[in-house]
Amino acid sequence: MTPASRQVLKHVLNQHPSLDLVFQALSDPTRRGMLERLSRGPASVSELAQPLAMSLPAVVQHLQMLEASGLVTTRKVGRVRTCQLDAAALSQAEQWINDRRSGWERRLDRLGDYLAETDPTKGSKP
Amino acid sequence: MTPASRQVLKHVLNQHPSLDLVFQALSDPTRRGMLERLSRGPASVSELAQPLAMSLPAVVQHLQMLEASGLVTTRKVGRVRTCQLDAAALSQAEQWINDRRSGWERRLDRLGDYLAETDPTKGSKP
């Protein structure tokens, strides 16, 4: 990614926190494996690559998608790039799902209440 | 959730919960809009399509991705296909994110505790 396109991306992300990119990043098992590893603590790029049966450039490409989504931040000290999870981006995706799920469950609860209230076997017949 | 449906959920999750397809389905704003609508209650395909500025075949294609992921189930009664959210598939994705996030936050807490314990300003100097 060029600095210019990184800049554009950053701008877009700031405008509308991009759930598209977050969920896109999460949709791949290799990237989920990398996040799983990073949830246990920061790691260098080579540590991330070590258990993966793929070339380093392929790992870097996955890492770039994770960075673009905001799920991972990296910083370079000397010759080592260290990767770290960003819990805020994870929270944002989690919250979106949670809001939909609880909306749906509230609706089911209301439906359950309604059915219980109108249950003919519990009717108040004389 | 009833014990029976909890059992079914557990079984489905153990099989091969396709997180790839779920996150892929969630990565598109149109599909998230459709899920948002369905979180307020079931809807027919034409009700789902109504607010969207796209052709019906395009809507159906999005719907097929939602069905493939398990996030939405549909059933046809007469000529009307009704779509419904499946909370179990949402839960599965939410749980995956939550597990990673809480792993990371526990790690930060432990780090905080460690730093507090080794704080030189609170040292037990004579």
Side-chain angles (χ1 to χ4, degrees):
Chain A
M1 195 179 283
T2 66
S5 62
R6 197 183 291 272
Q7 205 51 43
V8 169
L9 176 63
K10 220 170 175 180
H11 180 72
V12 170
L13 286 178
N14 285 341
Q15 299 256 313
H16 309 109
S18 188
L19 282 172
D20 292 20
L21 289 177
V22 169
F23 286 127
Q24 183 66 50
L26 289 169
S27 71
D28 179 272
T30 301
R31 291 193 290 271
R32 287 200 304 277
M34 290 163 84
L35 292 172
E36 164 75 51
R37 165 62 190 84
L38 292 175
S39 73
R40 296 196 300 271
S44 68
V45 177
S46 40
E47 281 168 334
L48 276 184
Q50 195 264 323
L52 302 172
M54 59 176 69
S55 68
L56 194 64
V59 173
V60 169
Q61 221 163 10
H62 280 303
L63 185 58
Q64 280 168 348
M65 283 205 65
L66 289 170
E67 272 196 276
S69 71
L71 287 167
V72 168
T73 56
T74 74
R75 68 197 167 94
K76 201 165 181 176
V77 178
R79 296 175 66 180
V80 178
R81 182 171 292 280
T82 303
C83 310
Q84 182 165 317
L85 202 68
D86 188 319
L90 276 178
S91 284
Q92 181 201 344
E94 191 180 347
Q95 195 58 51
W96 189 92
I97 300 178
N98 184 277
D99 289 348
R100 302 295 90 65
R101 191 175 56 75
S102 40
W104 174 243
E105 286 174 351
R106 269 198 307 276
R107 193 189 166 277
L108 285 187
D109 287 347
R110 283 198 305 271
L111 190 65
D113 290 348
Y114 172 79
L115 291 176
E117 278 167 23
T118 57
D119 185 349
T121 64
K122 289 183 185 166
S124 54
K125 275 180 194 165
Chain B
M1 197 179 282
T2 65
S5 63
R6 196 181 292 274
Q7 204 54 39
V8 170
L9 175 63
K10 223 172 174 179
H11 179 70
V12 171
L13 286 179
N14 285 341
Q15 296 249 325
H16 282 114
S18 190
L19 283 172
D20 292 19
L21 289 177
V22 170
F23 286 127
Q24 183 65 50
L26 289 169
S27 71
D28 180 90
T30 301
R31 291 193 291 270
R32 286 200 304 278
M34 291 164 83
L35 291 172
E36 164 75 49
R37 166 63 191 82
L38 293 175
S39 74
R40 297 196 298 272
S44 69
V45 177
S46 39
E47 282 169 334
L48 276 185
Q50 195 264 320
L52 302 173
M54 59 177 70
S55 68
L56 194 63
V59 172
V60 169
Q61 220 163 11
H62 281 304
L63 185 58
Q64 280 167 348
M65 283 205 65
L66 289 171
E67 272 196 276
S69 71
L71 287 167
V72 169
T73 56
T74 75
R75 69 197 167 94
K76 201 165 183 177
V77 178
R79 294 176 66 180
V80 178
R81 180 170 293 280
T82 303
C83 311
Q84 182 165 318
L85 201 68
D86 188 321
L90 276 179
S91 286
Q92 181 200 343
E94 192 180 347
Q95 194 57 53
W96 190 91
I97 300 177
N98 185 277
D99 289 347
R100 301 294 91 65
R101 193 176 54 76
S102 38
W104 174 242
E105 287 174 350
R106 269 198 307 277
R107 193 188 166 276
L108 286 187
D109 287 347
R110 282 198 306 270
L111 191 63
D113 291 347
Y114 172 79
L115 291 175
E117 278 167 24
T118 56
D119 184 349
T121 63
K122 290 183 185 167
S124 53
K125 276 180 196 166

